[in-house]
Amino acid sequence: GEPGAGDWVAYMAGGELPPGPNCCPTAQPHIGPGIAQISPAGSASICKRIQDESKVPTFQHLDGNCHIYINKSADLNIALKVIENAKLRRTGICGAAESLVIDSDVAKEFIPKIVDKLASCEIRGESEAINIDNRIKLASDDDWSTEYLDKIISLKIVQNIDEAIEFVNKNSSHHTDCIISSINSDDTN
C-alpha cells in the first residue's frame, strides 16, 4: 500500500519509504542539507505529526474548514456541480467543502436541489433552512466552524454578500473558500 504518516515521518528523519503506487524511494530527495522545507498535505493529524517530528522546517495549514457562498446571481446548475465535487469527491481532505452559505433570494429554490444532490451527505442548518427542506438536521453553533472530513456539511442562509463575508470570516479556517456568482450580474456587491 501507500506510505502512511509513520513512514513519512521516518523518511524525514533519514529512513526509507516503502514502495507504493504513488511513491518511489529512489526518486525521492534525501532529507538533509539540500532540503529547505516541507509542505505536507493531508489530514490535520498527519500534518501535525510531520510538523512535530520533522528535522526540517514545515509550512502548515492544519485545518481546512472550507466555505462556499452561493450569491443570488449564481448559475445554480454550475453551483450544484461545484458543491457536489467540493464536498463528495474526497470528503477526508482539508480542501473539501464543509459549509454552504446561501443567499436568501435563492434559498427556497436552491436548497431542495442541494439536498437532492448531496443525498448521501448529512446536511445541518438552522431552522430557516429546515423550514425549506425538512431533510436538513438542526445545526449547533459548533457546526459553522467544524471541519468534518466526512459526509456532513453545514448550511447557513444569509441576506446578502456582506453577511456572507462576515460569516465566512468568523467561521472559516481561511484555507480554501469560494464565492459562486455570475460575472454578468447587475449586483455590484
Side-chain angles (χ1 to χ4, degrees), residues 9 16-18 29 43 50 59 61 72 82 84 89 96 105 124 129 131 140 143 152 158 161-162 165 170 176 181 187:
V9 171
E16 294 293 322
L17 280 175
S43 70
I50 289 170
F59 288 112
H61 57 80
K72 64 185 176 184
V82 170
E84 179 183 34
R89 184 169 176 264
D105 285 352
R124 299 176 184 175
N131 288 338
S140 71
D143 281 308
I152 304 169
V158 295
I161 193 167
D162 294 326
I165 290 169
K170 178 181 176 189
T176 309
S181 82
D187 180 9

Side-chain angles (χ1 to χ4, degrees), residues 43-117:
S43 70
S45 61
I46 289 173
C47 292
K48 180 75 173 126
R49 183 166 178 204
I50 289 170
Q51 179 183 28
D52 290 346
E53 298 183 29
S54 176
K55 295 185 190 278
V56 297
T58 60
F59 288 112
Q60 297 290 314
H61 57 80
L62 295 182
D63 297 315
N65 181 21
C66 306
H67 287 59
I68 298 176
Y69 167 59
I70 308 301
N71 182 265
K72 64 185 176 184
S73 69
D75 179 320
L76 300 181
N77 291 320
I78 291 173
L80 272 177
K81 292 175 185 175
V82 170
I83 291 167
E84 179 183 34
N85 186 340
K87 181 58 199 173
L88 296 178
R89 184 169 176 264
R90 291 183 59 201
T91 60
I93 63 168
C94 57
E98 303 290 15
S99 293
L100 300 176
V101 183
I102 310 294
D103 192 288
S104 62
D105 285 352
V106 296
K108 285 182 183 174
E109 171 190 359
F110 194 50
I111 288 175
K113 294 177 182 179
I114 293 169
V115 176
D116 289 342
K117 184 61 87 173

